[in-house]
Amino acid sequence: MNQQRPFTDRSYAAFLSEEQLMGSRCHDCKQLFIPPRGLCPDCHTENLSWEQVGGRGRLVALTRMAMVSPALAEEGYGKARPYCSGVIELDEGPRVVARLEAGSDEGFGQEMIGQAMQVGFEHLDRKTPRLVFRPV
């Protein structure tokens, strides 16, 4: 892992391609940011470094979308197979928005709030892979 990468979307995407969930840690106020930022929004310093996180957390919010974009429809999402996304509070503290993948055809409902989740990585025909969280 190259700790000298700049704090850019490209660097973040490169880490995702390598299946590493990375954030930026402020050395002054100790806050962790995912996705990473090159300037701490809390104390306005540039004294940051890359930090890998474990990718475990709990689901705190979710939404199911039956009406989707044409790109998601091409992937098979829609009324019969809703696209689910959620907010996961990582064990390290930050909250991340990502696609949710259920372990069964039943999908996600409000009863899943609080469920332990683990990060995964989707490599589609895109330049940037996307995060996906699955129940533990």
Side-chain angles (χ1 to χ4, degrees):
M1 172 179 62
N2 181 0
Q3 294 287 340
Q4 301 304 314
R5 292 182 189 176
F7 296 105
T8 63
D9 291 343
R10 279 194 180 160
S11 294
Y12 183 62
F15 280 123
L16 293 179
S17 295
E18 297 163 9
E19 298 196 358
Q20 298 180 73
L21 181 54
M22 302 292 288
S24 57
R25 170 79 67 186
C26 177
H27 291 284
D28 293 343
C29 70
K30 310 300 184 217
Q31 291 294 320
L32 178 63
F33 305 101
I34 302 172
R37 292 162 174 80
L39 177 71
C40 177
D42 290 347
C43 68
H44 310 290
T45 183
E46 294 180 6
N47 188 16
L48 298 130
S49 64
W50 286 105
E51 184 173 314
Q52 186 171 5
V53 297
R56 288 187 64 107
R58 65 181 182 86
L59 184 63
V60 295
L62 68 92
T63 188
R64 296 167 45 104
M65 295 173 271
M67 296 191 66
V68 297
S69 68
L72 288 175
E74 287 178 18
E75 292 179 33
Y77 296 104
K79 186 176 182 179
R81 183 179 170 222
Y83 181 90
C84 297
S85 66
V87 178
I88 294 84
E89 185 175 272
L90 297 172
D91 291 347
E92 292 86 355
R95 290 184 171 193
V96 178
V97 176
R99 190 174 86 72
L100 303 176
E101 185 176 275
S104 68
D105 292 335
E106 295 172 16
F108 281 88
Q110 293 300 316
E111 70 279 356
M112 296 295 291
I113 300 296
Q115 170 72 43
M117 306 293 284
Q118 177 66 47
V119 73
F121 302 88
E122 281 189 332
H123 301 278
L124 303 172
D125 294 333
R126 302 170 184 225
K127 292 183 179 181
T128 303
R130 65 181 172 204
L131 293 174
V132 59
F133 278 83
R134 298 175 181 98
V136 175

